[in-house]
Amino acid sequence: MTQLNSFSVPDFHLPFGNSKHPQAARANADATSWVVRHELVTDAVDQFAGIGFGHLAGRVSGDVPYETVVLLAEWMAWSFVLDDQHDHLIRTGELEAWRPVAGAITEYLETGRTTQAPGRRNPLVCGFIDLCDRILAGMSEGTAARYRAHVPLMLGSLDQEAGNRGTGGLPSVQDYILMRRHSSQLLPMMDMVEAGLGIDLPQRIHDLPGFQSLIASAVDVISWGNDVFSLPKEHSCGDNNNLVSLISLREGRSLPEAVRAVETRIQTRIEEYLADEERLFLALDADPATDPALRAAVSRCVRSYEDWMIGADLWQRYECTRYSDERFAAGLESAYTRPGLVSVA
């Protein structure tokens, strides 16, 4: 693999405005406390808090009550622990320990209960149960159904990532892009934000090809940008679950050339998002079934996706220490990662 001698994240020129919830810092502190109470993190707590999940939640939640922001921040914090613990199992060759945890999460999501005895539940499972109950309580039937569908896809994508780091060979760029839409863990969070904003679009709107294309464009912009931010870490530890690394390996480009290629892809995807948005509203306005309330709800949902794109970028640049941490950039595990957490009873 080519060397990454010097590296800077380019400006992706996102043409969207953004504001942050005034209590984002408080949400970050409270979500950190939630993680500690659930024993998901026991060491280097300040380093974990430096991820800034509360700031990200505050940038994408809009004007909502504090309880909505902190719940999203807690889910984000749980998701970072989930991702890091899965990475730990890949590094140590202990992926079999992952299956009971993923199974218990899926079982609870589907049935509202788990056959694991309370004393045998892993902290990741206990944390999920606490979050899931509160998340679903605030969702409409349609949004809850999408959330229930997105979480297993997220868990399955982690297995795909593990396979990509094994002996299965490199995925194609297109297969990686499809997987990344779920391994980004964005879709359940977007469901939460829509519920928090009181957006409850009919399923027929979500099923529109133009609407699906809009969501895919937004998720791709965020995910590919994150791949650029996280490149030093993933390059250092040989993780090819990164669009930059994959283009470099697949197309024989240097890493700086691959970064520029991803930057170009992001700019193209932003243009596609804007075109998708215009086409969506033209289609809605031509449909006699579109009343002013529905159009306003779709417009608010579209603005939420724009908040996600610019908010994630600003958070990574200015409020998150994860991607600038020396251990992370060197490809090492974070100091807060708990070895053996997944097997904790």
Side-chain angles (χ1 to χ4, degrees):
M1 184 180 287
T2 54
Q3 294 300 308
L4 189 65
N5 296 318
S6 61
F7 176 74
S8 60
V9 177
D11 184 346
F12 298 127
H13 304 290
L14 294 157
F16 312 115
N18 185 250
S19 60
K20 187 166 71 168
H21 196 282
Q23 293 181 292
R26 176 186 168 195
N28 200 73
D30 287 348
T32 302
S33 297
W34 179 89
V35 163
V36 171
R37 286 199 307 276
H38 282 81
E39 299 182 333
L40 295 165
V41 170
T42 55
D43 297 312
V45 174
D46 288 344
Q47 184 193 68
F48 182 74
I51 294 173
F53 27 80
H55 295 281
L56 176 58
R59 286 199 176 277
V60 302
S61 290
D63 184 15
V64 296
Y66 175 72
E67 291 73 18
T68 301
V69 178
V70 75
L71 178 58
L72 179 60
E74 289 169 355
W75 174 267
M76 289 176 169
W78 177 85
S79 295
F80 277 110
V81 175
L82 181 84
D83 191 55
D84 287 341
Q85 287 296 324
H86 190 264
D87 180 70
H88 172 74
L89 295 178
I90 293 173
R91 291 170 184 259
T92 58
E94 299 175 285
L95 275 172
E96 282 303 313
W98 173 252
R99 314 220 176 279
V101 172
I105 290 171
T106 303
E107 180 187 20
Y108 192 84
L109 189 67
E110 293 174 348
T111 67
R113 60 184 182 275
T114 173
T115 52
Q116 285 187 343
R120 298 292 300 173
R121 289 178 190 159
N122 179 271
L124 276 168
V125 175
C126 292
F128 175 80
I129 289 171
D130 174 61
L131 291 169
C132 185
D133 288 346
R134 290 184 286 140
I135 289 167
L136 291 174
M139 285 182 167
S140 68
E141 183 178 342
T143 306
R146 286 188 290 275
Y147 172 83
R148 292 180 190 275
H150 287 150
V151 172
L153 290 170
M154 178 189 82
L155 294 173
S157 70
L158 296 179
D159 290 333
Q160 289 179 276
E161 284 194 334
N164 292 344
R165 290 169 68 175
T167 59
L170 291 176
S172 69
V173 170
Q174 185 57 32
D175 284 347
Y176 172 78
I177 286 171
L178 294 175
M179 180 202 74
R180 189 73 172 96
R181 291 175 185 167
H182 297 292
S183 68
S184 67
Q185 306 191 34
L186 287 167
L187 291 173
M189 298 181 201
M190 288 177 162
D191 297 331
M192 292 176 65
V193 170
E194 289 179 36
L197 291 169
I199 299 169
D200 186 17
L201 298 179
Q203 188 60 41
R204 67 178 180 85
I205 299 296
H206 280 273
D207 290 340
L208 289 173
F211 196 86
Q212 289 292 312
S213 181
L214 196 77
I215 297 172
S217 293
V219 171
D220 287 348
V221 167
I222 300 164
S223 302
W224 302 351
N226 178 259
D227 280 1
V228 177
F229 278 97
S230 62
L231 176 62
K233 177 257 188 181
E234 284 149 7
H235 172 72
S236 295
C237 68
D239 183 356
N240 56 30
N241 288 294
N242 183 293
L243 186 57
V244 178
S245 295
L246 193 58
I247 287 175
S248 175
L249 291 166
R250 279 286 186 188
E251 301 180 8
R253 303 192 190 200
S254 69
L255 284 172
E257 289 171 342
V259 169
R260 288 192 292 273
V262 172
E263 180 184 6
T264 299
R265 282 176 176 259
I266 289 172
Q267 298 307 144
T268 300
R269 212 70 176 105
I270 293 168
E271 292 168 6
E272 290 171 345
Y273 175 90
L274 295 171
D276 288 338
E277 179 181 339
E278 183 177 358
R279 283 193 292 268
L280 174 65
F281 282 107
L282 285 172
L284 288 174
D285 292 340
D287 185 350
T290 304
D291 58 27
L294 176 60
R295 195 186 196 285
V298 173
S299 179
R300 185 65 192 90
C301 195
V302 168
R303 290 202 308 275
S304 175
Y305 298 152
E306 294 171 1
D307 284 341
W308 270 104
M309 285 186 279
I310 185 64
D313 184 79
L314 293 172
W315 161 72
Q316 289 172 118
R317 289 182 192 277
Y318 304 117
E319 294 158 347
C320 176
T321 62
R322 181 177 177 87
Y323 306 112
S324 59
D325 178 79
E326 290 183 1
R327 287 181 61 89
F328 187 88
L332 303 173
E333 291 189 294
S334 298
Y336 56 76
T337 299
R338 279 189 64 187
L341 171 65
V342 171
S343 60
V344 172

mmCIF file of all heavy atoms in Angstrom, residues 225-267:
data_model
loop_
_atom_site.group_PDB
_atom_site.id
_atom_site.type_symbol
_atom_site.label_atom_id
_atom_site.label_comp_id
_atom_site.label_asym_id
_atom_site.label_seq_id
_atom_site.Cartn_x
_atom_site.Cartn_y
_atom_site.Cartn_z
ATOM 1 N N GLY A 225 -17.011 11.444 3.267
ATOM 2 C CA GLY A 225 -16.243 12.455 3.984
ATOM 3 C C GLY A 225 -15.597 11.877 5.227
ATOM 4 O O GLY A 225 -14.427 12.143 5.531
ATOM 5 N N ASN A 226 -16.344 11.047 5.957
ATOM 6 C CA ASN A 226 -15.786 10.397 7.139
ATOM 7 C C ASN A 226 -14.624 9.493 6.782
ATOM 8 O O ASN A 226 -13.640 9.390 7.532
ATOM 9 C CB ASN A 226 -16.870 9.610 7.875
ATOM 10 C CG ASN A 226 -16.339 8.881 9.088
ATOM 11 O OD1 ASN A 226 -16.106 7.675 9.050
ATOM 12 N ND2 ASN A 226 -16.118 9.608 10.173
ATOM 13 N N ASP A 227 -14.693 8.834 5.626
ATOM 14 C CA ASP A 227 -13.573 7.990 5.192
ATOM 15 C C ASP A 227 -12.305 8.810 4.989
ATOM 16 O O ASP A 227 -11.191 8.312 5.236
ATOM 17 C CB ASP A 227 -13.934 7.267 3.894
ATOM 18 C CG ASP A 227 -14.800 6.031 4.132
ATOM 19 O OD1 ASP A 227 -15.133 5.755 5.297
ATOM 20 O OD2 ASP A 227 -15.135 5.352 3.146
ATOM 21 N N VAL A 228 -12.450 10.047 4.549
ATOM 22 C CA VAL A 228 -11.274 10.904 4.403
ATOM 23 C C VAL A 228 -10.739 11.292 5.776
ATOM 24 O O VAL A 228 -9.530 11.220 6.036
ATOM 25 C CB VAL A 228 -11.598 12.157 3.565
ATOM 26 C CG1 VAL A 228 -10.378 13.074 3.491
ATOM 27 C CG2 VAL A 228 -12.036 11.770 2.152
ATOM 28 N N PHE A 229 -11.626 11.678 6.685
ATOM 29 C CA PHE A 229 -11.186 12.056 8.032
ATOM 30 C C PHE A 229 -10.503 10.896 8.747
ATOM 31 O O PHE A 229 -9.530 11.088 9.482
ATOM 32 C CB PHE A 229 -12.384 12.539 8.866
ATOM 33 C CG PHE A 229 -12.780 13.966 8.637
ATOM 34 C CD1 PHE A 229 -13.803 14.289 7.775
ATOM 35 C CD2 PHE A 229 -12.123 14.996 9.291
ATOM 36 C CE1 PHE A 229 -14.179 15.608 7.556
ATOM 37 C CE2 PHE A 229 -12.481 16.318 9.082
ATOM 38 C CZ PHE A 229 -13.516 16.633 8.215
ATOM 39 N N SER A 230 -11.017 9.686 8.568
ATOM 40 C CA SER A 230 -10.495 8.528 9.302
ATOM 41 C C SER A 230 -9.392 7.787 8.552
ATOM 42 O O SER A 230 -8.896 6.765 9.035
ATOM 43 C CB SER A 230 -11.638 7.554 9.621
ATOM 44 O OG SER A 230 -12.229 7.050 8.442
ATOM 45 N N LEU A 231 -8.991 8.292 7.407
ATOM 46 C CA LEU A 231 -7.986 7.606 6.593
ATOM 47 C C LEU A 231 -6.690 7.304 7.343
ATOM 48 O O LEU A 231 -6.180 6.180 7.234
ATOM 49 C CB LEU A 231 -7.690 8.420 5.328
ATOM 50 C CG LEU A 231 -6.584 7.873 4.420
ATOM 51 C CD1 LEU A 231 -6.945 6.496 3.883
ATOM 52 C CD2 LEU A 231 -6.303 8.846 3.267
ATOM 53 N N PRO A 232 -6.092 8.246 8.089
ATOM 54 C CA PRO A 232 -4.818 7.914 8.760
ATOM 55 C C PRO A 232 -4.910 6.674 9.639
ATOM 56 O O PRO A 232 -4.031 5.817 9.604
ATOM 57 C CB PRO A 232 -4.531 9.174 9.576
ATOM 58 C CG PRO A 232 -5.194 10.281 8.811
ATOM 59 C CD PRO A 232 -6.467 9.660 8.287
ATOM 60 N N LYS A 233 -5.987 6.556 10.406
ATOM 61 C CA LYS A 233 -6.136 5.407 11.292
ATOM 62 C C LYS A 233 -6.311 4.124 10.493
ATOM 63 O O LYS A 233 -5.625 3.116 10.728
ATOM 64 C CB LYS A 233 -7.320 5.612 12.224
ATOM 65 C CG LYS A 233 -7.620 4.429 13.159
ATOM 66 C CD LYS A 233 -8.799 3.626 12.677
ATOM 67 C CE LYS A 233 -9.198 2.572 13.710
ATOM 68 N NZ LYS A 233 -10.344 1.756 13.247
ATOM 69 N N GLU A 234 -7.222 4.131 9.533
ATOM 70 C CA GLU A 234 -7.515 2.904 8.812
ATOM 71 C C GLU A 234 -6.354 2.490 7.919
ATOM 72 O O GLU A 234 -6.071 1.299 7.757
ATOM 73 C CB GLU A 234 -8.834 3.090 8.040
ATOM 74 C CG GLU A 234 -10.024 3.000 8.996
ATOM 75 C CD GLU A 234 -11.225 3.834 8.606
ATOM 76 O OE1 GLU A 234 -11.225 4.424 7.502
ATOM 77 O OE2 GLU A 234 -12.163 3.905 9.418
ATOM 78 N N HIS A 235 -5.644 3.461 7.364
ATOM 79 C CA HIS A 235 -4.446 3.143 6.593
ATOM 80 C C HIS A 235 -3.368 2.538 7.492
ATOM 81 O O HIS A 235 -2.713 1.559 7.122
ATOM 82 C CB HIS A 235 -3.913 4.413 5.913
ATOM 83 C CG HIS A 235 -2.586 4.236 5.254
ATOM 84 N ND1 HIS A 235 -2.416 3.513 4.094
ATOM 85 C CD2 HIS A 235 -1.346 4.681 5.613
ATOM 86 C CE1 HIS A 235 -1.141 3.533 3.754
ATOM 87 N NE2 HIS A 235 -0.469 4.224 4.657
ATOM 88 N N SER A 236 -3.200 3.103 8.680
ATOM 89 C CA SER A 236 -2.138 2.643 9.587
ATOM 90 C C SER A 236 -2.346 1.217 10.063
ATOM 91 O O SER A 236 -1.380 0.483 10.273
ATOM 92 C CB SER A 236 -2.037 3.578 10.803
ATOM 93 O OG SER A 236 -1.631 4.872 10.405
ATOM 94 N N CYS A 237 -3.607 0.814 10.243
ATOM 95 C CA CYS A 237 -3.845 -0.542 10.756
ATOM 96 C C CYS A 237 -4.235 -1.519 9.652
ATOM 97 O O CYS A 237 -4.643 -2.659 9.939
ATOM 98 C CB CYS A 237 -4.888 -0.525 11.870
ATOM 99 S SG CYS A 237 -6.558 -0.115 11.342
ATOM 100 N N GLY A 238 -4.135 -1.087 8.381
ATOM 101 C CA GLY A 238 -4.396 -1.996 7.271
ATOM 102 C C GLY A 238 -5.860 -2.314 7.049
ATOM 103 O O GLY A 238 -6.192 -3.344 6.444
ATOM 104 N N ASP A 239 -6.747 -1.449 7.506
ATOM 105 C CA ASP A 239 -8.183 -1.650 7.323
ATOM 106 C C ASP A 239 -8.586 -1.077 5.967
ATOM 107 O O ASP A 239 -8.496 0.131 5.738
ATOM 108 C CB ASP A 239 -8.936 -0.940 8.462
ATOM 109 C CG ASP A 239 -10.438 -1.157 8.392
ATOM 110 O OD1 ASP A 239 -10.917 -1.792 7.433
ATOM 111 O OD2 ASP A 239 -11.136 -0.679 9.315
ATOM 112 N N ASN A 240 -9.056 -1.939 5.077
ATOM 113 C CA ASN A 240 -9.428 -1.470 3.740
ATOM 114 C C ASN A 240 -10.887 -1.061 3.631
ATOM 115 O O ASN A 240 -11.391 -0.818 2.528
ATOM 116 C CB ASN A 240 -9.097 -2.522 2.677
ATOM 117 C CG ASN A 240 -9.742 -3.868 2.959
ATOM 118 O OD1 ASN A 240 -10.812 -3.953 3.554
ATOM 119 N ND2 ASN A 240 -9.081 -4.940 2.534
ATOM 120 N N ASN A 241 -11.603 -0.972 4.762
ATOM 121 C CA ASN A 241 -12.977 -0.480 4.763
ATOM 122 C C ASN A 241 -12.959 1.051 4.759
ATOM 123 O O ASN A 241 -13.364 1.721 5.703
ATOM 124 C CB ASN A 241 -13.736 -1.004 5.981
ATOM 125 C CG ASN A 241 -14.040 -2.481 5.862
ATOM 126 O OD1 ASN A 241 -14.797 -2.909 5.003
ATOM 127 N ND2 ASN A 241 -13.419 -3.287 6.726
ATOM 128 N N ASN A 242 -12.471 1.588 3.664
ATOM 129 C CA ASN A 242 -12.311 3.027 3.511
ATOM 130 C C ASN A 242 -12.290 3.309 2.011
ATOM 131 O O ASN A 242 -11.522 2.671 1.274
ATOM 132 C CB ASN A 242 -11.006 3.490 4.179
ATOM 133 C CG ASN A 242 -10.811 4.983 4.110
ATOM 134 O OD1 ASN A 242 -10.620 5.548 3.040
ATOM 135 N ND2 ASN A 242 -10.840 5.634 5.260
ATOM 136 N N LEU A 243 -13.117 4.230 1.565
ATOM 137 C CA LEU A 243 -13.232 4.471 0.124
ATOM 138 C C LEU A 243 -11.915 4.948 -0.466
ATOM 139 O O LEU A 243 -11.561 4.573 -1.592
ATOM 140 C CB LEU A 243 -14.341 5.487 -0.151
ATOM 141 C CG LEU A 243 -14.669 5.731 -1.634
ATOM 142 C CD1 LEU A 243 -15.066 4.438 -2.342
ATOM 143 C CD2 LEU A 243 -15.772 6.784 -1.763
ATOM 144 N N VAL A 244 -11.152 5.755 0.270
ATOM 145 C CA VAL A 244 -9.859 6.233 -0.240
ATOM 146 C C VAL A 244 -8.904 5.063 -0.435
ATOM 147 O O VAL A 244 -8.305 4.893 -1.499
ATOM 148 C CB VAL A 244 -9.249 7.278 0.709
ATOM 149 C CG1 VAL A 244 -7.885 7.727 0.189
ATOM 150 C CG2 VAL A 244 -10.178 8.474 0.873
ATOM 151 N N SER A 245 -8.757 4.251 0.594
ATOM 152 C CA SER A 245 -7.854 3.097 0.505
ATOM 153 C C SER A 245 -8.286 2.145 -0.599
ATOM 154 O O SER A 245 -7.451 1.604 -1.340
ATOM 155 C CB SER A 245 -7.827 2.351 1.841
ATOM 156 O OG SER A 245 -7.282 3.156 2.860
ATOM 157 N N LEU A 246 -9.591 1.930 -0.726
ATOM 158 C CA LEU A 246 -10.093 0.991 -1.711
ATOM 159 C C LEU A 246 -9.815 1.480 -3.134
ATOM 160 O O LEU A 246 -9.378 0.710 -3.998
ATOM 161 C CB LEU A 246 -11.586 0.774 -1.496
ATOM 162 C CG LEU A 246 -12.222 -0.397 -2.240
ATOM 163 C CD1 LEU A 246 -11.546 -1.701 -1.873
ATOM 164 C CD2 LEU A 246 -13.713 -0.460 -1.921
ATOM 165 N N ILE A 247 -10.042 2.764 -3.384
ATOM 166 C CA ILE A 247 -9.744 3.322 -4.708
ATOM 167 C C ILE A 247 -8.244 3.242 -4.991
ATOM 168 O O ILE A 247 -7.816 2.917 -6.110
ATOM 169 C CB ILE A 247 -10.262 4.766 -4.813
ATOM 170 C CG1 ILE A 247 -11.793 4.760 -4.913
ATOM 171 C CG2 ILE A 247 -9.650 5.490 -6.010
ATOM 172 C CD1 ILE A 247 -12.418 6.122 -4.904
ATOM 173 N N SER A 248 -7.433 3.510 -3.964
ATOM 174 C CA SER A 248 -5.985 3.421 -4.130
ATOM 175 C C SER A 248 -5.578 2.007 -4.531
ATOM 176 O O SER A 248 -4.791 1.805 -5.477
ATOM 177 C CB SER A 248 -5.281 3.831 -2.838
ATOM 178 O OG SER A 248 -3.887 3.644 -2.932
ATOM 179 N N LEU A 249 -6.120 1.001 -3.859
ATOM 180 C CA LEU A 249 -5.759 -0.382 -4.124
ATOM 181 C C LEU A 249 -6.369 -0.898 -5.427
ATOM 182 O O LEU A 249 -5.701 -1.587 -6.203
ATOM 183 C CB LEU A 249 -6.210 -1.263 -2.957
ATOM 184 C CG LEU A 249 -5.445 -1.064 -1.643
ATOM 185 C CD1 LEU A 249 -6.196 -1.719 -0.500
ATOM 186 C CD2 LEU A 249 -4.046 -1.629 -1.751
ATOM 187 N N ARG A 250 -7.624 -0.572 -5.659
ATOM 188 C CA ARG A 250 -8.328 -1.067 -6.839
ATOM 189 C C ARG A 250 -7.826 -0.422 -8.129
ATOM 190 O O ARG A 250 -7.765 -1.063 -9.174
ATOM 191 C CB ARG A 250 -9.832 -0.812 -6.691
ATOM 192 C CG ARG A 250 -10.571 -1.824 -5.833
ATOM 193 C CD ARG A 250 -10.720 -3.101 -6.579
ATOM 194 N NE ARG A 250 -11.560 -4.074 -5.855
ATOM 195 C CZ ARG A 250 -11.702 -5.321 -6.241
ATOM 196 N NH1 ARG A 250 -11.062 -5.751 -7.321
ATOM 197 N NH2 ARG A 250 -12.454 -6.166 -5.575
ATOM 198 N N GLU A 251 -7.498 0.871 -8.054
ATOM 199 C CA GLU A 251 -7.166 1.613 -9.270
ATOM 200 C C GLU A 251 -5.688 1.951 -9.384
ATOM 201 O O GLU A 251 -5.282 2.641 -10.322
ATOM 202 C CB GLU A 251 -8.016 2.884 -9.330
ATOM 203 C CG GLU A 251 -9.513 2.591 -9.332
ATOM 204 C CD GLU A 251 -10.371 3.840 -9.397
ATOM 205 O OE1 GLU A 251 -9.802 4.945 -9.599
ATOM 206 O OE2 GLU A 251 -11.597 3.722 -9.231
ATOM 207 N N GLY A 252 -4.883 1.472 -8.432
ATOM 208 C CA GLY A 252 -3.443 1.698 -8.499
ATOM 209 C C GLY A 252 -3.047 3.159 -8.358
ATOM 210 O O GLY A 252 -2.066 3.605 -8.948
ATOM 211 N N ARG A 253 -3.795 3.910 -7.564
ATOM 212 C CA ARG A 253 -3.497 5.327 -7.365
ATOM 213 C C ARG A 253 -2.737 5.517 -6.051
ATOM 214 O O ARG A 253 -2.865 4.716 -5.121
ATOM 215 C CB ARG A 253 -4.783 6.157 -7.306
ATOM 216 C CG ARG A 253 -5.670 6.038 -8.528
ATOM 217 C CD ARG A 253 -6.737 7.105 -8.465
ATOM 218 N NE ARG A 253 -7.775 6.921 -9.475
ATOM 219 C CZ ARG A 253 -8.576 7.904 -9.877
ATOM 220 N NH1 ARG A 253 -8.461 9.114 -9.358
ATOM 221 N NH2 ARG A 253 -9.505 7.666 -10.787
ATOM 222 N N SER A 254 -1.971 6.588 -5.967
ATOM 223 C CA SER A 254 -1.378 6.957 -4.688
ATOM 224 C C SER A 254 -2.493 7.415 -3.758
ATOM 225 O O SER A 254 -3.592 7.776 -4.208
ATOM 226 C CB SER A 254 -0.365 8.083 -4.868
ATOM 227 O OG SER A 254 -1.026 9.292 -5.212
ATOM 228 N N LEU A 255 -2.234 7.405 -2.456
ATOM 229 C CA LEU A 255 -3.259 7.854 -1.513
ATOM 230 C C LEU A 255 -3.657 9.313 -1.742
ATOM 231 O O LEU A 255 -4.846 9.631 -1.703
ATOM 232 C CB LEU A 255 -2.798 7.621 -0.078
ATOM 233 C CG LEU A 255 -2.876 6.165 0.378
ATOM 234 C CD1 LEU A 255 -2.219 5.985 1.737
ATOM 235 C CD2 LEU A 255 -4.326 5.681 0.436
ATOM 236 N N PRO A 256 -2.707 10.238 -1.986
ATOM 237 C CA PRO A 256 -3.133 11.618 -2.281
ATOM 238 C C PRO A 256 -4.032 11.688 -3.517
ATOM 239 O O PRO A 256 -5.014 12.448 -3.538
ATOM 240 C CB PRO A 256 -1.819 12.362 -2.502
ATOM 241 C CG PRO A 256 -0.826 11.597 -1.682
ATOM 242 C CD PRO A 256 -1.242 10.159 -1.818
ATOM 243 N N GLU A 257 -3.724 10.889 -4.535
ATOM 244 C CA GLU A 257 -4.579 10.863 -5.723
ATOM 245 C C GLU A 257 -5.957 10.307 -5.385
ATOM 246 O O GLU A 257 -6.984 10.802 -5.883
ATOM 247 C CB GLU A 257 -3.928 10.008 -6.815
ATOM 248 C CG GLU A 257 -2.701 10.637 -7.452
ATOM 249 C CD GLU A 257 -1.959 9.674 -8.359
ATOM 250 O OE1 GLU A 257 -2.179 8.439 -8.247
ATOM 251 O OE2 GLU A 257 -1.164 10.148 -9.189
ATOM 252 N N ALA A 258 -5.988 9.287 -4.538
ATOM 253 C CA ALA A 258 -7.264 8.689 -4.148
ATOM 254 C C ALA A 258 -8.093 9.655 -3.309
ATOM 255 O O ALA A 258 -9.323 9.688 -3.419
ATOM 256 C CB ALA A 258 -7.021 7.385 -3.389
ATOM 257 N N VAL A 259 -7.431 10.437 -2.445
ATOM 258 C CA VAL A 259 -8.150 11.463 -1.684
ATOM 259 C C VAL A 259 -8.812 12.451 -2.636
ATOM 260 O O VAL A 259 -9.983 12.824 -2.471
ATOM 261 C CB VAL A 259 -7.200 12.199 -0.711
ATOM 262 C CG1 VAL A 259 -7.885 13.444 -0.129
ATOM 263 C CG2 VAL A 259 -6.763 11.283 0.424
ATOM 264 N N ARG A 260 -8.080 12.872 -3.650
ATOM 265 C CA ARG A 260 -8.654 13.808 -4.626
ATOM 266 C C ARG A 260 -9.811 13.168 -5.390
ATOM 267 O O ARG A 260 -10.800 13.833 -5.706
ATOM 268 C CB ARG A 260 -7.564 14.303 -5.582
ATOM 269 C CG ARG A 260 -6.575 15.263 -4.930
ATOM 270 C CD ARG A 260 -5.699 15.958 -5.953
ATOM 271 N NE ARG A 260 -4.765 15.036 -6.608
ATOM 272 C CZ ARG A 260 -3.572 14.732 -6.145
ATOM 273 N NH1 ARG A 260 -3.141 15.267 -5.003
ATOM 274 N NH2 ARG A 260 -2.780 13.900 -6.811
ATOM 275 N N ALA A 261 -9.687 11.872 -5.676
ATOM 276 C CA ALA A 261 -10.768 11.168 -6.373
ATOM 277 C C ALA A 261 -12.029 11.120 -5.513
ATOM 278 O O ALA A 261 -13.151 11.303 -6.019
ATOM 279 C CB ALA A 261 -10.326 9.753 -6.740
ATOM 280 N N VAL A 262 -11.864 10.881 -4.214
ATOM 281 C CA VAL A 262 -13.016 10.866 -3.311
ATOM 282 C C VAL A 262 -13.595 12.270 -3.170
ATOM 283 O O VAL A 262 -14.822 12.450 -3.134
ATOM 284 C CB VAL A 262 -12.633 10.273 -1.943
ATOM 285 C CG1 VAL A 262 -13.773 10.435 -0.937
ATOM 286 C CG2 VAL A 262 -12.269 8.793 -2.091
ATOM 287 N N GLU A 263 -12.733 13.271 -3.091
ATOM 288 C CA GLU A 263 -13.219 14.650 -3.034
ATOM 289 C C GLU A 263 -14.089 14.958 -4.254
ATOM 290 O O GLU A 263 -15.168 15.558 -4.137
ATOM 291 C CB GLU A 263 -12.038 15.620 -2.972
ATOM 292 C CG GLU A 263 -12.458 17.085 -2.910
ATOM 293 C CD GLU A 263 -11.284 18.030 -2.957
ATOM 294 O OE1 GLU A 263 -10.135 17.576 -3.148
ATOM 295 O OE2 GLU A 263 -11.508 19.247 -2.808
ATOM 296 N N THR A 264 -13.647 14.531 -5.436
ATOM 297 C CA THR A 264 -14.433 14.746 -6.655
ATOM 298 C C THR A 264 -15.758 14.001 -6.580
ATOM 299 O O THR A 264 -16.817 14.527 -6.966
ATOM 300 C CB THR A 264 -13.631 14.280 -7.883
ATOM 301 O OG1 THR A 264 -12.436 15.047 -7.987
ATOM 302 C CG2 THR A 264 -14.440 14.447 -9.164
ATOM 303 N N ARG A 265 -15.721 12.769 -6.085
ATOM 304 C CA ARG A 265 -16.955 12.002 -5.935
ATOM 305 C C ARG A 265 -17.928 12.705 -4.993
ATOM 306 O O ARG A 265 -19.146 12.719 -5.231
ATOM 307 C CB ARG A 265 -16.648 10.597 -5.393
ATOM 308 C CG ARG A 265 -16.108 9.617 -6.425
ATOM 309 C CD ARG A 265 -15.748 8.305 -5.754
ATOM 310 N NE ARG A 265 -15.316 7.290 -6.703
ATOM 311 C CZ ARG A 265 -16.080 6.289 -7.154
ATOM 312 N NH1 ARG A 265 -17.323 6.162 -6.722
ATOM 313 N NH2 ARG A 265 -15.613 5.416 -8.020
ATOM 314 N N ILE A 266 -17.409 13.273 -3.909
ATOM 315 C CA ILE A 266 -18.270 13.967 -2.952
ATOM 316 C C ILE A 266 -18.921 15.183 -3.604
ATOM 317 O O ILE A 266 -20.123 15.422 -3.442
ATOM 318 C CB ILE A 266 -17.473 14.363 -1.694
ATOM 319 C CG1 ILE A 266 -17.131 13.109 -0.876
ATOM 320 C CG2 ILE A 266 -18.256 15.361 -0.831
ATOM 321 C CD1 ILE A 266 -16.181 13.359 0.279
ATOM 322 N N GLN A 267 -18.137 15.961 -4.345
ATOM 323 C CA GLN A 267 -18.701 17.136 -5.010
ATOM 324 C C GLN A 267 -19.776 16.728 -6.021
ATOM 325 O O GLN A 267 -20.828 17.369 -6.111
ATOM 326 C CB GLN A 267 -17.604 17.932 -5.699
ATOM 327 C CG GLN A 267 -16.538 18.496 -4.777
ATOM 328 C CD GLN A 267 -17.100 19.311 -3.612
ATOM 329 O OE1 GLN A 267 -16.575 19.288 -2.511
ATOM 330 N NE2 GLN A 267 -18.170 20.040 -3.849
#
